[in-house]
Amino acid sequence: MAHTVLGAAAGLMWLVLPGMTISTDVPVAARPNRPTARTVSADGDGPAADLVLPVAAVAGAGAIAGYGYLRRTGRRPRPRPRGPGTRPSLAELDGLAAGSLVEQDDHVRASREEVVFARAQLGDAAVEPFDRAVRDAATTLTDAFLARQEYDDRGPGDDRARRRLLDGVVGRCTASGRELDATAADFARLRALDEDAGRTAALRTAEARFRALAGRTPDTEALLAALTAHYGPAAVEPVTGYVEQVKDRLVFATSRLNRAHQSADLGDPGRAADHLRAAEGAIAQADVFLTAVDTHRADLDEAAATVPSALSGAETRLAEVRPDAASRADGTRSYVAHADGVLAAVRTGAAAGPHDPVDALRRIVRATAFLTGDGGGGDPGVLGAAAALVARVAVASAAGFVATHRGAVGAEARTRLAAARERLAAVPPDHLAADTLARRARELAERDVRTYGNPTADTAGRAAGVGGALLGGVLLGTGPDDGPPAGYGGPATQAARTRPAPAPLGGRGG
């Protein structure tokens, strides 16, 4: 009877809600299995009876919003296991593969971040086996992403071949997770965050890195303003807002470092370790944001210095093919005419004032691509160097964005990023394809973030930086305090970390 009533209520809400929520705003939806932050009273208690109806209402709305979100993004949950002897449909296998890629990519990224802190605390030799395990897991996962890219490229057709590719994706994700799970217990013993000595040393390491990043932030903010004035807003768009996100992550890190100390004082080492890992994750992402601005400055300067020589090199190459262009039947004449127009426009734009030199190089490289014919990777001249710079900038931009917004980014964006990296690392590299795939990855990731919306609508959550932590995948949003933090290990390790531990004798802590 209870199930029937609940189902009827959910169905009624589903029918009525669209008429009540028609809006021109960007939809805000909850990530599956990651509930929004809750405002908690200072003492952590309250009349339970007063909360029943509000919690039920929020749960119902969250379920509906989550359903809409799942329909719009690649962050699909894994289908429920079927009975023995049955095979999932191709659509179900597709969803399983997408969910596996997202889940395992998060595990690899979180593991890599925690290894960095362990290295700073314990040295290279101590963490080398775990660093190698992360590299091996990442290599296996890359193979899974490339299989997924092949699946996406294949399009409709042979279902048997498509199923084989998806099975390969799931199998490789599983293998990657097992590689991390196999070393997770040893890594936990190495860090010893549940022991006073290990946790105290780890806190010192995290706090030192926090102070260094806090000290860098004003200089990076000034640098971003200077870059905007010199090159124009379009040139710095890939890193616009990054300083604000640094501050948000550092606010969150401050809160969690303090709570780690408090939990330890209250005799709750497990919760202290969780707060410490959450702080480390936020600190790692603050570093990514700051480094991205510094790297982008260097890339803009290099591109600005390369544009004049790229223009001259392109004109020289065009002059070589222009005499025979009219007599060739392969469209060379129209390619030359188009390239001439692009080069003239780039010169005009550069002379007019602040401009984006990376975009100028991209236009030159693409307009003259018919001269190299191999994506620029085999061209030893200035055009090849320009193509390499453009591709490298695009891949770095997408990689930084995905890393710091992984709580919202789905499988499609991550797959395109992995494919872009593979094209960039190939011998010879395909710079044009790498640039195209990386830019598409960033577009898809930004779309996912817009769909995800603001995970904490309450002021308290925003003030504590919880929203950014959820968006960045630092917190997993599956329990109290918005869930456990991500950390070293695969799915089995994270599942064990997610299960609530018995309350300590000294109190809840944290």
Side-chain angles (χ1 to χ4, degrees):
M1 178 64 73
H3 290 170
T4 302
V5 172
L6 182 59
L12 180 61
M13 290 178 69
W14 178 249
L15 291 173
V16 173
L17 189 64
M20 299 172 60
T21 58
I22 296 173
S23 170
T24 58
D25 296 336
V26 176
V28 178
R31 181 179 178 183
N33 297 324
R34 296 196 179 183
T36 57
R38 299 171 292 108
T39 302
V40 187
S41 63
D43 59 5
D45 297 320
D50 293 343
L51 296 177
V52 172
L53 290 178
V55 169
V58 170
I64 294 170
Y67 175 78
Y69 171 67
L70 294 176
R71 294 182 62 189
R72 290 191 295 270
T73 75
R75 297 189 64 84
R76 289 166 286 185
R78 300 188 179 194
R80 292 181 179 179
R82 301 166 66 93
T86 62
R87 300 178 66 193
S89 68
L90 191 60
E92 289 173 330
L93 190 56
D94 185 357
L96 176 61
S100 298
L101 285 169
V102 169
E103 179 184 54
Q104 186 52 31
D105 193 39
D106 285 348
H107 292 319
V108 169
R109 292 175 181 277
S111 298
R112 185 182 293 120
E113 289 171 357
E114 192 170 354
V115 165
V116 170
F117 281 92
R119 178 184 292 110
Q121 175 190 346
L122 301 165
D124 291 339
V127 302
E128 198 281 329
F130 309 103
D131 191 32
R132 184 172 61 251
V134 173
R135 292 196 306 268
D136 291 344
T139 299
T140 304
L141 180 63
T142 296
D143 292 340
F145 274 120
L146 297 181
R148 177 73 203 205
Q149 181 67 46
E150 183 180 351
Y151 172 86
D152 292 342
D153 290 340
R154 181 178 292 269
D158 184 354
D159 283 356
R160 180 177 299 179
R162 289 166 64 79
R163 182 180 291 275
R164 185 168 57 250
L165 285 170
L166 291 178
D167 282 336
V169 170
V170 175
R172 290 181 178 96
C173 288
T174 300
S176 177
R178 286 173 178 165
E179 289 172 331
L180 294 176
D181 282 328
T183 54
D186 289 339
F187 184 76
R189 282 190 289 271
L190 175 70
R191 294 208 76 192
L193 298 183
D194 56 346
E195 299 175 7
D196 288 344
R199 184 175 56 255
T200 299
L203 278 166
R204 271 199 306 268
T205 299
E207 289 165 347
R209 191 172 174 190
F210 172 91
R211 288 190 294 271
L213 294 173
R216 285 173 56 190
T217 301
D219 292 339
T220 302
E221 190 168 22
L223 171 61
L224 194 55
L227 289 175
T228 303
H230 185 70
Y231 290 111
V236 299
E237 185 177 359
V239 293
T240 297
Y242 275 18
V243 171
E244 287 72 21
Q245 295 203 57
V246 168
K247 295 176 181 178
D248 182 77
R249 297 296 194 278
L250 293 182
V251 165
F252 176 82
T254 299
S255 170
R256 292 305 166 117
L257 288 170
N258 288 336
R259 293 174 75 175
H261 284 291
Q262 293 165 5
S263 295
D265 292 342
L266 290 170
D268 192 345
R271 183 161 294 201
D274 277 351
H275 288 321
L276 174 56
R277 283 194 182 93
E280 289 176 342
I283 291 168
Q285 291 194 4
D287 197 351
V288 172
F289 283 125
L290 290 175
T291 301
V293 177
D294 291 339
T295 301
H296 196 61
R297 184 271 308 272
D299 291 336
L300 287 173
D301 290 346
E302 183 179 355
T306 305
V307 167
S309 57
L311 284 168
S312 299
E315 289 169 346
T316 300
R317 297 284 294 275
L318 289 171
E320 294 171 355
V321 302
R322 189 175 284 111
D324 299 328
S327 61
R328 295 174 61 175
D330 58 358
T332 300
R333 181 177 182 179
S334 62
Y335 293 147
V336 170
H338 172 70
D340 285 338
V342 169
L343 298 185
V346 169
R347 285 192 181 278
T348 300
H355 67 288
D356 182 354
V358 173
D359 182 65
L361 276 187
R362 178 176 287 114
R363 296 171 65 190
I364 295 170
V365 166
R366 292 193 171 276
T368 58
F370 72 98
L371 296 172
T372 59
D374 61 355
D379 191 319
V382 65
L383 292 181
L389 174 57
V390 167
R392 190 184 75 233
V393 171
V395 170
S397 172
F401 190 87
V402 170
T404 52
H405 298 78
R406 64 176 184 254
V409 176
E412 191 177 1
R414 299 179 195 229
T415 299
R416 301 299 174 268
L417 174 58
R421 284 171 160 162
E422 189 269 339
R423 302 295 196 281
L424 189 61
V427 181
D430 188 339
H431 293 134
L432 288 179
D435 177 54
T436 299
L437 286 163
R439 294 175 72 199
R440 180 58 178 159
R442 172 95 190 221
E443 290 171 0
L444 291 167
E446 290 176 346
R447 179 205 66 185
D448 290 344
V449 170
R450 286 193 299 271
T451 303
Y452 181 78
N454 180 7
T456 53
D458 60 282
T459 304
R462 286 196 300 272
V466 171
L470 289 168
L471 179 63
V474 174
L475 293 178
L476 302 183
T478 55
D481 295 321
D482 293 296
Y488 187 99
T493 305
Q494 193 61 57
R497 189 177 293 140
T498 302
R499 287 193 292 271
L505 296 177
R508 281 185 10 172

